[in-house]
Structures are given as C-alpha cells and as structure tokens.
mmCIF file of all heavy atoms in Angstrom:
data_model
loop_
_atom_site.group_PDB
_atom_site.id
_atom_site.type_symbol
_atom_site.label_atom_id
_atom_site.label_comp_id
_atom_site.label_asym_id
_atom_site.label_seq_id
_atom_site.Cartn_x
_atom_site.Cartn_y
_atom_site.Cartn_z
ATOM 1 N N PHE A 1130 -14.082 2.475 7.164
ATOM 2 C CA PHE A 1130 -12.997 2.006 8.028
ATOM 3 C C PHE A 1130 -13.164 2.647 9.398
ATOM 4 O O PHE A 1130 -13.185 3.879 9.512
ATOM 5 C CB PHE A 1130 -11.628 2.358 7.447
ATOM 6 C CG PHE A 1130 -11.357 1.740 6.109
ATOM 7 C CD1 PHE A 1130 -11.483 2.486 4.943
ATOM 8 C CD2 PHE A 1130 -10.995 0.408 6.012
ATOM 9 C CE1 PHE A 1130 -11.248 1.921 3.708
ATOM 10 C CE2 PHE A 1130 -10.747 -0.164 4.779
ATOM 11 C CZ PHE A 1130 -10.874 0.586 3.623
ATOM 12 N N GLN A 1131 -13.280 1.824 10.416
ATOM 13 C CA GLN A 1131 -13.370 2.301 11.786
ATOM 14 C C GLN A 1131 -12.025 2.103 12.473
ATOM 15 O O GLN A 1131 -11.342 1.103 12.226
ATOM 16 C CB GLN A 1131 -14.464 1.545 12.548
ATOM 17 C CG GLN A 1131 -15.850 1.689 11.954
ATOM 18 C CD GLN A 1131 -16.879 0.829 12.649
ATOM 19 O OE1 GLN A 1131 -16.542 0.005 13.514
ATOM 20 N NE2 GLN A 1131 -18.148 1.007 12.286
ATOM 21 N N VAL A 1132 -11.643 3.053 13.326
ATOM 22 C CA VAL A 1132 -10.354 2.989 14.025
ATOM 23 C C VAL A 1132 -10.621 2.949 15.523
ATOM 24 O O VAL A 1132 -11.385 3.761 16.052
ATOM 25 C CB VAL A 1132 -9.465 4.200 13.686
ATOM 26 C CG1 VAL A 1132 -8.154 4.131 14.466
ATOM 27 C CG2 VAL A 1132 -9.189 4.242 12.184
ATOM 28 N N GLU A 1133 -9.988 2.019 16.185
ATOM 29 C CA GLU A 1133 -10.109 1.882 17.637
ATOM 30 C C GLU A 1133 -8.720 1.994 18.245
ATOM 31 O O GLU A 1133 -7.803 1.259 17.865
ATOM 32 C CB GLU A 1133 -10.736 0.528 17.972
ATOM 33 C CG GLU A 1133 -11.012 0.306 19.446
ATOM 34 C CD GLU A 1133 -11.667 -1.032 19.701
ATOM 35 O OE1 GLU A 1133 -12.819 -1.216 19.243
ATOM 36 O OE2 GLU A 1133 -11.030 -1.911 20.339
ATOM 37 N N GLY A 1134 -8.544 2.903 19.206
ATOM 38 C CA GLY A 1134 -7.246 3.130 19.826
ATOM 39 C C GLY A 1134 -6.859 4.595 19.725
ATOM 40 O O GLY A 1134 -7.402 5.358 18.909
ATOM 41 N N ASP A 1135 -5.910 5.017 20.556
ATOM 42 C CA ASP A 1135 -5.446 6.408 20.542
ATOM 43 C C ASP A 1135 -4.532 6.626 19.340
ATOM 44 O O ASP A 1135 -3.473 5.987 19.219
ATOM 45 C CB ASP A 1135 -4.702 6.729 21.839
ATOM 46 C CG ASP A 1135 -5.627 6.679 23.044
ATOM 47 O OD1 ASP A 1135 -6.820 6.965 22.871
ATOM 48 O OD2 ASP A 1135 -5.149 6.332 24.150
ATOM 49 N N LEU A 1136 -4.923 7.526 18.467
ATOM 50 C CA LEU A 1136 -4.196 7.782 17.231
ATOM 51 C C LEU A 1136 -3.644 9.199 17.259
ATOM 52 O O LEU A 1136 -4.391 10.169 17.419
ATOM 53 C CB LEU A 1136 -5.130 7.597 16.031
ATOM 54 C CG LEU A 1136 -4.503 7.600 14.642
ATOM 55 C CD1 LEU A 1136 -3.541 6.434 14.486
ATOM 56 C CD2 LEU A 1136 -5.596 7.529 13.571
ATOM 57 N N SER A 1137 -2.303 9.328 17.110
ATOM 58 C CA SER A 1137 -1.668 10.649 17.180
ATOM 59 C C SER A 1137 -1.423 11.258 15.808
ATOM 60 O O SER A 1137 -0.894 12.360 15.710
ATOM 61 C CB SER A 1137 -0.337 10.546 17.935
ATOM 62 O OG SER A 1137 0.576 9.721 17.225
ATOM 63 N N VAL A 1138 -1.779 10.541 14.744
ATOM 64 C CA VAL A 1138 -1.669 11.072 13.384
ATOM 65 C C VAL A 1138 -3.062 11.092 12.772
ATOM 66 O O VAL A 1138 -3.970 10.398 13.248
ATOM 67 C CB VAL A 1138 -0.712 10.212 12.519
ATOM 68 C CG1 VAL A 1138 0.701 10.285 13.042
ATOM 69 C CG2 VAL A 1138 -1.199 8.768 12.443
ATOM 70 N N PRO A 1139 -3.276 11.874 11.733
ATOM 71 C CA PRO A 1139 -4.590 11.866 11.089
ATOM 72 C C PRO A 1139 -4.968 10.467 10.593
ATOM 73 O O PRO A 1139 -4.102 9.667 10.232
ATOM 74 C CB PRO A 1139 -4.416 12.848 9.923
ATOM 75 C CG PRO A 1139 -3.295 13.742 10.331
ATOM 76 C CD PRO A 1139 -2.372 12.878 11.137
ATOM 77 N N LYS A 1140 -6.264 10.187 10.578
ATOM 78 C CA LYS A 1140 -6.744 8.888 10.112
ATOM 79 C C LYS A 1140 -6.292 8.611 8.683
ATOM 80 O O LYS A 1140 -6.001 7.473 8.312
ATOM 81 C CB LYS A 1140 -8.280 8.845 10.207
ATOM 82 C CG LYS A 1140 -8.900 7.527 9.782
ATOM 83 C CD LYS A 1140 -10.422 7.572 9.913
ATOM 84 C CE LYS A 1140 -11.069 6.294 9.414
ATOM 85 N NZ LYS A 1140 -12.549 6.326 9.523
ATOM 86 N N SER A 1141 -6.186 9.661 7.884
ATOM 87 C CA SER A 1141 -5.750 9.490 6.491
ATOM 88 C C SER A 1141 -4.330 8.936 6.411
ATOM 89 O O SER A 1141 -4.008 8.172 5.492
ATOM 90 C CB SER A 1141 -5.830 10.829 5.747
ATOM 91 O OG SER A 1141 -5.013 11.809 6.388
ATOM 92 N N ILE A 1142 -3.464 9.309 7.374
ATOM 93 C CA ILE A 1142 -2.093 8.791 7.398
ATOM 94 C C ILE A 1142 -2.117 7.293 7.678
ATOM 95 O O ILE A 1142 -1.393 6.498 7.045
ATOM 96 C CB ILE A 1142 -1.251 9.522 8.458
ATOM 97 C CG1 ILE A 1142 -1.124 11.011 8.116
ATOM 98 C CG2 ILE A 1142 0.122 8.878 8.592
ATOM 99 C CD1 ILE A 1142 -0.302 11.304 6.900
ATOM 100 N N LEU A 1143 -2.966 6.874 8.638
ATOM 101 C CA LEU A 1143 -3.086 5.455 8.960
ATOM 102 C C LEU A 1143 -3.591 4.658 7.763
ATOM 103 O O LEU A 1143 -3.041 3.592 7.430
ATOM 104 C CB LEU A 1143 -4.024 5.275 10.151
ATOM 105 C CG LEU A 1143 -4.369 3.833 10.541
ATOM 106 C CD1 LEU A 1143 -3.119 3.100 11.020
ATOM 107 C CD2 LEU A 1143 -5.449 3.802 11.606
ATOM 108 N N LEU A 1144 -4.641 5.165 7.089
ATOM 109 C CA LEU A 1144 -5.195 4.446 5.936
ATOM 110 C C LEU A 1144 -4.196 4.417 4.784
ATOM 111 O O LEU A 1144 -4.090 3.412 4.068
ATOM 112 C CB LEU A 1144 -6.507 5.104 5.497
ATOM 113 C CG LEU A 1144 -7.673 5.001 6.489
ATOM 114 C CD1 LEU A 1144 -8.902 5.716 5.953
ATOM 115 C CD2 LEU A 1144 -7.985 3.533 6.780
ATOM 116 N N ARG A 1145 -3.460 5.510 4.609
ATOM 117 C CA ARG A 1145 -2.439 5.518 3.559
ATOM 118 C C ARG A 1145 -1.371 4.470 3.833
ATOM 119 O O ARG A 1145 -0.930 3.762 2.912
ATOM 120 C CB ARG A 1145 -1.809 6.912 3.461
ATOM 121 C CG ARG A 1145 -0.843 7.066 2.296
ATOM 122 C CD ARG A 1145 -0.186 8.421 2.301
ATOM 123 N NE ARG A 1145 0.753 8.577 3.406
ATOM 124 C CZ ARG A 1145 1.556 9.623 3.565
ATOM 125 N NH1 ARG A 1145 1.514 10.632 2.694
ATOM 126 N NH2 ARG A 1145 2.377 9.692 4.588
ATOM 127 N N GLN A 1146 -0.958 4.354 5.099
ATOM 128 C CA GLN A 1146 0.041 3.355 5.457
ATOM 129 C C GLN A 1146 -0.492 1.945 5.244
ATOM 130 O O GLN A 1146 0.251 1.044 4.850
ATOM 131 C CB GLN A 1146 0.459 3.541 6.917
ATOM 132 C CG GLN A 1146 1.529 2.564 7.402
ATOM 133 C CD GLN A 1146 2.859 2.767 6.714
ATOM 134 O OE1 GLN A 1146 3.170 3.867 6.245
ATOM 135 N NE2 GLN A 1146 3.649 1.707 6.633
ATOM 136 N N SER A 1147 -1.787 1.736 5.501
ATOM 137 C CA SER A 1147 -2.363 0.394 5.331
ATOM 138 C C SER A 1147 -2.468 -0.003 3.868
ATOM 139 O O SER A 1147 -2.426 -1.188 3.543
ATOM 140 C CB SER A 1147 -3.753 0.339 5.973
ATOM 141 O OG SER A 1147 -4.699 1.086 5.215
ATOM 142 N N GLY A 1148 -2.648 0.986 2.993
ATOM 143 C CA GLY A 1148 -2.832 0.686 1.578
ATOM 144 C C GLY A 1148 -4.270 0.387 1.205
ATOM 145 O O GLY A 1148 -4.544 0.046 0.043
ATOM 146 N N LEU A 1149 -5.200 0.518 2.145
ATOM 147 C CA LEU A 1149 -6.611 0.245 1.880
ATOM 148 C C LEU A 1149 -7.316 1.506 1.395
ATOM 149 O O LEU A 1149 -7.016 2.612 1.852
ATOM 150 C CB LEU A 1149 -7.302 -0.273 3.143
ATOM 151 C CG LEU A 1149 -6.787 -1.604 3.706
ATOM 152 C CD1 LEU A 1149 -7.466 -1.913 5.032
ATOM 153 C CD2 LEU A 1149 -7.012 -2.735 2.711
ATOM 154 N N ASP A 1150 -8.294 1.319 0.489
ATOM 155 C CA ASP A 1150 -9.070 2.436 -0.037
ATOM 156 C C ASP A 1150 -10.547 2.071 -0.033
ATOM 157 O O ASP A 1150 -10.912 0.896 -0.212
ATOM 158 C CB ASP A 1150 -8.652 2.787 -1.473
ATOM 159 C CG ASP A 1150 -7.233 3.331 -1.540
ATOM 160 O OD1 ASP A 1150 -6.927 4.256 -0.770
ATOM 161 O OD2 ASP A 1150 -6.440 2.809 -2.352
ATOM 162 N N GLU A 1151 -11.384 3.068 0.155
ATOM 163 C CA GLU A 1151 -12.818 2.839 0.022
ATOM 164 C C GLU A 1151 -13.137 2.461 -1.429
ATOM 165 O O GLU A 1151 -12.614 3.052 -2.360
ATOM 166 C CB GLU A 1151 -13.600 4.086 0.430
ATOM 167 C CG GLU A 1151 -13.546 4.389 1.920
ATOM 168 C CD GLU A 1151 -14.451 5.554 2.303
ATOM 169 O OE1 GLU A 1151 -15.222 5.998 1.429
ATOM 170 O OE2 GLU A 1151 -14.381 6.005 3.462
ATOM 171 N N GLY A 1152 -14.014 1.467 -1.573
ATOM 172 C CA GLY A 1152 -14.362 0.977 -2.906
ATOM 173 C C GLY A 1152 -13.475 -0.150 -3.388
ATOM 174 O O GLY A 1152 -13.764 -0.781 -4.412
ATOM 175 N N GLU A 1153 -12.381 -0.414 -2.650
ATOM 176 C CA GLU A 1153 -11.482 -1.508 -3.035
ATOM 177 C C GLU A 1153 -12.119 -2.854 -2.736
ATOM 178 O O GLU A 1153 -12.805 -3.031 -1.741
ATOM 179 C CB GLU A 1153 -10.155 -1.368 -2.281
ATOM 180 C CG GLU A 1153 -9.121 -2.433 -2.633
ATOM 181 C CD GLU A 1153 -7.822 -2.240 -1.860
ATOM 182 O OE1 GLU A 1153 -7.719 -1.238 -1.130
ATOM 183 O OE2 GLU A 1153 -6.929 -3.101 -1.989
ATOM 184 N N GLN A 1154 -11.874 -3.809 -3.618
ATOM 185 C CA GLN A 1154 -12.428 -5.149 -3.433
ATOM 186 C C GLN A 1154 -11.767 -5.843 -2.252
ATOM 187 O O GLN A 1154 -10.565 -5.751 -2.047
ATOM 188 C CB GLN A 1154 -12.225 -5.980 -4.711
ATOM 189 C CG GLN A 1154 -12.765 -7.408 -4.618
ATOM 190 C CD GLN A 1154 -12.613 -8.141 -5.928
ATOM 191 O OE1 GLN A 1154 -13.308 -7.857 -6.897
ATOM 192 N NE2 GLN A 1154 -11.690 -9.098 -5.967
ATOM 193 N N TYR A 1155 -12.588 -6.546 -1.469
ATOM 194 C CA TYR A 1155 -12.086 -7.264 -0.293
ATOM 195 C C TYR A 1155 -11.208 -8.442 -0.723
ATOM 196 O O TYR A 1155 -11.414 -9.069 -1.762
ATOM 197 C CB TYR A 1155 -13.263 -7.777 0.536
ATOM 198 C CG TYR A 1155 -12.854 -8.808 1.577
ATOM 199 C CD1 TYR A 1155 -12.319 -8.424 2.797
ATOM 200 C CD2 TYR A 1155 -12.982 -10.174 1.306
ATOM 201 C CE1 TYR A 1155 -11.934 -9.359 3.734
ATOM 202 C CE2 TYR A 1155 -12.594 -11.123 2.245
ATOM 203 C CZ TYR A 1155 -12.073 -10.715 3.452
ATOM 204 O OH TYR A 1155 -11.681 -11.650 4.372
ATOM 205 N N GLY A 1156 -10.239 -8.770 0.120
ATOM 206 C CA GLY A 1156 -9.425 -9.977 -0.038
ATOM 207 C C GLY A 1156 -8.732 -10.276 1.277
ATOM 208 O O GLY A 1156 -8.274 -9.346 1.959
ATOM 209 N N ARG A 1157 -8.676 -11.539 1.651
ATOM 210 C CA ARG A 1157 -8.012 -11.853 2.917
ATOM 211 C C ARG A 1157 -6.539 -11.473 2.857
ATOM 212 O O ARG A 1157 -5.973 -10.977 3.825
ATOM 213 C CB ARG A 1157 -8.151 -13.336 3.254
ATOM 214 C CG ARG A 1157 -7.647 -13.662 4.651
ATOM 215 C CD ARG A 1157 -7.537 -15.146 4.931
ATOM 216 N NE ARG A 1157 -8.833 -15.791 5.024
ATOM 217 C CZ ARG A 1157 -8.986 -17.064 5.434
ATOM 218 N NH1 ARG A 1157 -7.922 -17.774 5.779
ATOM 219 N NH2 ARG A 1157 -10.185 -17.608 5.485
ATOM 220 N N GLU A 1158 -5.905 -11.712 1.712
ATOM 221 C CA GLU A 1158 -4.501 -11.336 1.570
ATOM 222 C C GLU A 1158 -4.343 -9.817 1.612
ATOM 223 O O GLU A 1158 -3.350 -9.299 2.124
ATOM 224 C CB GLU A 1158 -3.936 -11.892 0.264
ATOM 225 C CG GLU A 1158 -2.440 -11.702 0.086
ATOM 226 C CD GLU A 1158 -1.622 -12.454 1.135
ATOM 227 O OE1 GLU A 1158 -2.065 -13.529 1.584
ATOM 228 O OE2 GLU A 1158 -0.543 -11.944 1.493
ATOM 229 N N THR A 1159 -5.333 -9.100 1.104
ATOM 230 C CA THR A 1159 -5.313 -7.641 1.169
ATOM 231 C C THR A 1159 -5.331 -7.167 2.615
ATOM 232 O O THR A 1159 -4.584 -6.259 3.002
ATOM 233 C CB THR A 1159 -6.523 -7.064 0.414
ATOM 234 O OG1 THR A 1159 -6.497 -7.520 -0.943
ATOM 235 C CG2 THR A 1159 -6.496 -5.546 0.435
ATOM 236 N N ILE A 1160 -6.191 -7.790 3.427
ATOM 237 C CA ILE A 1160 -6.250 -7.461 4.852
ATOM 238 C C ILE A 1160 -4.923 -7.768 5.527
ATOM 239 O O ILE A 1160 -4.405 -6.980 6.336
ATOM 240 C CB ILE A 1160 -7.389 -8.250 5.531
ATOM 241 C CG1 ILE A 1160 -8.750 -7.742 5.058
ATOM 242 C CG2 ILE A 1160 -7.272 -8.171 7.040
ATOM 243 C CD1 ILE A 1160 -9.139 -6.407 5.619
ATOM 244 N N ARG A 1161 -4.350 -8.922 5.194
ATOM 245 C CA ARG A 1161 -3.095 -9.322 5.817
ATOM 246 C C ARG A 1161 -1.969 -8.355 5.450
ATOM 247 O O ARG A 1161 -1.158 -7.973 6.305
ATOM 248 C CB ARG A 1161 -2.752 -10.749 5.403
ATOM 249 C CG ARG A 1161 -1.679 -11.400 6.244
ATOM 250 C CD ARG A 1161 -1.792 -12.905 6.239
ATOM 251 N NE ARG A 1161 -2.080 -13.466 4.950
ATOM 252 C CZ ARG A 1161 -2.989 -14.424 4.737
ATOM 253 N NH1 ARG A 1161 -3.696 -14.899 5.731
ATOM 254 N NH2 ARG A 1161 -3.189 -14.919 3.524
ATOM 255 N N ASP A 1162 -1.897 -7.958 4.183
ATOM 256 C CA ASP A 1162 -0.863 -7.004 3.755
ATOM 257 C C ASP A 1162 -1.046 -5.651 4.441
ATOM 258 O O ASP A 1162 -0.072 -5.011 4.845
ATOM 259 C CB ASP A 1162 -0.907 -6.824 2.238
ATOM 260 C CG ASP A 1162 -0.333 -8.015 1.500
ATOM 261 O OD1 ASP A 1162 0.362 -8.830 2.146
ATOM 262 O OD2 ASP A 1162 -0.599 -8.143 0.290
ATOM 263 N N ALA A 1163 -2.292 -5.220 4.567
ATOM 264 C CA ALA A 1163 -2.558 -3.936 5.211
ATOM 265 C C ALA A 1163 -2.139 -3.958 6.672
ATOM 266 O O ALA A 1163 -1.535 -3.003 7.179
ATOM 267 C CB ALA A 1163 -4.041 -3.598 5.090
ATOM 268 N N GLN A 1164 -2.451 -5.049 7.341
ATOM 269 C CA GLN A 1164 -2.052 -5.175 8.745
ATOM 270 C C GLN A 1164 -0.538 -5.180 8.882
ATOM 271 O O GLN A 1164 0.025 -4.548 9.790
ATOM 272 C CB GLN A 1164 -2.651 -6.456 9.314
ATOM 273 C CG GLN A 1164 -2.394 -6.671 10.789
ATOM 274 C CD GLN A 1164 -3.168 -7.866 11.313
ATOM 275 O OE1 GLN A 1164 -4.378 -7.914 11.246
ATOM 276 N NE2 GLN A 1164 -2.441 -8.850 11.836
ATOM 277 N N ARG A 1165 0.140 -5.877 7.971
ATOM 278 C CA ARG A 1165 1.605 -5.917 8.005
ATOM 279 C C ARG A 1165 2.192 -4.536 7.727
ATOM 280 O O ARG A 1165 3.180 -4.136 8.344
ATOM 281 C CB ARG A 1165 2.106 -6.944 6.992
ATOM 282 C CG ARG A 1165 3.596 -7.233 7.063
ATOM 283 C CD ARG A 1165 4.009 -8.251 6.017
ATOM 284 N NE ARG A 1165 3.303 -9.505 6.200
ATOM 285 C CZ ARG A 1165 2.577 -10.102 5.269
ATOM 286 N NH1 ARG A 1165 2.455 -9.562 4.065
ATOM 287 N NH2 ARG A 1165 1.972 -11.248 5.515
ATOM 288 N N ASN A 1166 1.592 -3.796 6.790
ATOM 289 C CA ASN A 1166 2.081 -2.449 6.485
ATOM 290 C C ASN A 1166 1.999 -1.536 7.701
ATOM 291 O O ASN A 1166 2.922 -0.760 7.978
ATOM 292 C CB ASN A 1166 1.270 -1.851 5.331
ATOM 293 C CG ASN A 1166 1.573 -2.504 3.998
ATOM 294 O OD1 ASN A 1166 2.621 -3.122 3.820
ATOM 295 N ND2 ASN A 1166 0.642 -2.389 3.071
ATOM 296 N N ILE A 1167 0.890 -1.610 8.432
ATOM 297 C CA ILE A 1167 0.744 -0.772 9.626
ATOM 298 C C ILE A 1167 1.743 -1.183 10.694
ATOM 299 O O ILE A 1167 2.395 -0.345 11.326
ATOM 300 C CB ILE A 1167 -0.696 -0.874 10.171
ATOM 301 C CG1 ILE A 1167 -1.689 -0.323 9.148
ATOM 302 C CG2 ILE A 1167 -0.830 -0.122 11.494
ATOM 303 C CD1 ILE A 1167 -3.142 -0.522 9.529
ATOM 304 N N PHE A 1168 1.869 -2.482 10.883
ATOM 305 C CA PHE A 1168 2.772 -2.980 11.912
ATOM 306 C C PHE A 1168 4.230 -2.617 11.609
ATOM 307 O O PHE A 1168 5.024 -2.401 12.520
ATOM 308 C CB PHE A 1168 2.619 -4.496 12.039
ATOM 309 C CG PHE A 1168 3.383 -5.091 13.181
ATOM 310 C CD1 PHE A 1168 2.931 -4.971 14.478
ATOM 311 C CD2 PHE A 1168 4.577 -5.765 12.971
ATOM 312 C CE1 PHE A 1168 3.630 -5.506 15.539
ATOM 313 C CE2 PHE A 1168 5.292 -6.310 14.017
ATOM 314 C CZ PHE A 1168 4.814 -6.179 15.303
ATOM 315 N N ASN A 1169 4.583 -2.527 10.328
ATOM 316 C CA ASN A 1169 5.957 -2.183 9.946
ATOM 317 C C ASN A 1169 6.275 -0.708 10.163
ATOM 318 O O ASN A 1169 7.436 -0.314 10.106
ATOM 319 C CB ASN A 1169 6.204 -2.542 8.480
ATOM 320 C CG ASN A 1169 6.345 -4.034 8.268
ATOM 321 O OD1 ASN A 1169 6.616 -4.777 9.216
ATOM 322 N ND2 ASN A 1169 6.141 -4.492 7.040
ATOM 323 N N HIS A 1170 5.254 0.112 10.390
ATOM 324 C CA HIS A 1170 5.488 1.529 10.667
ATOM 325 C C HIS A 1170 6.057 1.675 12.077
ATOM 326 O O HIS A 1170 5.575 1.070 13.030
ATOM 327 C CB HIS A 1170 4.171 2.301 10.539
ATOM 328 C CG HIS A 1170 4.333 3.778 10.472
ATOM 329 N ND1 HIS A 1170 4.672 4.539 11.570
ATOM 330 C CD2 HIS A 1170 4.194 4.647 9.432
ATOM 331 C CE1 HIS A 1170 4.735 5.807 11.218
ATOM 332 N NE2 HIS A 1170 4.452 5.907 9.931
ATOM 333 N N HIS A 1171 7.073 2.526 12.230
ATOM 334 C CA HIS A 1171 7.763 2.658 13.512
ATOM 335 C C HIS A 1171 6.874 3.202 14.624
ATOM 336 O O HIS A 1171 7.179 3.056 15.804
ATOM 337 C CB HIS A 1171 8.969 3.587 13.342
ATOM 338 C CG HIS A 1171 8.587 4.966 12.895
ATOM 339 N ND1 HIS A 1171 8.525 5.323 11.562
ATOM 340 C CD2 HIS A 1171 8.224 6.075 13.586
ATOM 341 C CE1 HIS A 1171 8.159 6.586 11.459
ATOM 342 N NE2 HIS A 1171 7.968 7.066 12.677
ATOM 343 N N LEU A 1172 5.753 3.841 14.278
ATOM 344 C CA LEU A 1172 4.901 4.471 15.281
ATOM 345 C C LEU A 1172 3.966 3.473 15.965
ATOM 346 O O LEU A 1172 3.586 3.664 17.116
ATOM 347 C CB LEU A 1172 4.072 5.582 14.625
ATOM 348 C CG LEU A 1172 3.164 6.416 15.540
ATOM 349 C CD1 LEU A 1172 3.981 7.131 16.612
ATOM 350 C CD2 LEU A 1172 2.366 7.418 14.710
ATOM 351 N N PHE A 1173 3.622 2.380 15.259
ATOM 352 C CA PHE A 1173 2.575 1.495 15.749
ATOM 353 C C PHE A 1173 3.160 0.228 16.371
ATOM 354 O O PHE A 1173 3.920 -0.501 15.731
ATOM 355 C CB PHE A 1173 1.611 1.133 14.618
ATOM 356 C CG PHE A 1173 0.960 2.333 14.006
ATOM 357 C CD1 PHE A 1173 1.294 2.735 12.717
ATOM 358 C CD2 PHE A 1173 0.057 3.092 14.723
ATOM 359 C CE1 PHE A 1173 0.718 3.860 12.151
ATOM 360 C CE2 PHE A 1173 -0.530 4.221 14.168
ATOM 361 C CZ PHE A 1173 -0.195 4.603 12.881
ATOM 362 N N ARG A 1174 2.763 -0.004 17.607
ATOM 363 C CA ARG A 1174 3.242 -1.159 18.362
ATOM 364 C C ARG A 1174 2.386 -2.396 18.123
ATOM 365 O O ARG A 1174 2.855 -3.520 18.196
ATOM 366 C CB ARG A 1174 3.232 -0.806 19.849
ATOM 367 C CG ARG A 1174 3.739 -1.886 20.766
ATOM 368 C CD ARG A 1174 3.747 -1.389 22.207
ATOM 369 N NE ARG A 1174 4.333 -2.355 23.119
ATOM 370 C CZ ARG A 1174 4.491 -2.145 24.412
ATOM 371 N NH1 ARG A 1174 4.111 -0.994 24.940
ATOM 372 N NH2 ARG A 1174 5.025 -3.066 25.173
ATOM 373 N N PHE A 1175 1.109 -2.175 17.827
ATOM 374 C CA PHE A 1175 0.162 -3.280 17.677
ATOM 375 C C PHE A 1175 -0.873 -2.869 16.645
ATOM 376 O O PHE A 1175 -1.328 -1.719 16.622
ATOM 377 C CB PHE A 1175 -0.499 -3.574 19.028
ATOM 378 C CG PHE A 1175 -1.648 -4.535 18.979
ATOM 379 C CD1 PHE A 1175 -1.420 -5.892 18.983
ATOM 380 C CD2 PHE A 1175 -2.958 -4.071 18.927
ATOM 381 C CE1 PHE A 1175 -2.477 -6.781 18.942
ATOM 382 C CE2 PHE A 1175 -4.022 -4.948 18.886
ATOM 383 C CZ PHE A 1175 -3.784 -6.318 18.888
ATOM 384 N N ALA A 1176 -1.264 -3.797 15.768
ATOM 385 C CA ALA A 1176 -2.267 -3.487 14.754
ATOM 386 C C ALA A 1176 -2.990 -4.754 14.325
ATOM 387 O O ALA A 1176 -2.349 -5.769 14.039
ATOM 388 C CB ALA A 1176 -1.618 -2.817 13.546
#
C-alpha cells in the first residue's frame, strides 16, 4: 500500500481505518468500502 499526501497519523492508523490488509484478496467493492471508511473519518477531507 502506497500513501500519497501529508499524513499526520501513522500509516498503520490509515490502513486500519481503511480495513485493508496485506494478503487480502482484491475486490472492487472492497476498494470502495475502504475508500468510504477513510472518507468517513473526521480527519480526512479527501481520499
């Protein structure tokens, strides 16, 4: 997982919020849910 943008929390916090894990099977709905999870966090304006 690569991160682009200024991040004020550890990368692990961002990945935990997304719900994505290394080794997890890809899915378009999985990507969509992860993006929604990040966007729902009060800290992130755009994801």
Side-chain angles (χ1 to χ4, degrees):
F1130 299 101
Q1131 300 175 353
V1132 178
E1133 184 178 294
D1135 294 330
L1136 190 63
S1137 64
V1138 295
K1140 181 180 177 181
S1141 59
I1142 297 292
L1143 174 65
L1144 293 179
R1145 186 184 70 173
Q1146 181 66 26
S1147 71
L1149 297 174
D1150 294 309
E1151 290 186 8
E1153 182 180 356
Q1154 180 176 288
Y1155 166 81
R1157 188 190 291 189
E1158 187 64 32
T1159 302
I1160 291 287
R1161 195 155 42 225
D1162 286 344
Q1164 184 173 301
R1165 188 180 300 124
N1166 289 339
I1167 297 174
F1168 187 76
N1169 286 341
H1170 194 287
H1171 61 269
L1172 183 60
F1173 301 110
R1174 182 177 185 178
F1175 171 83

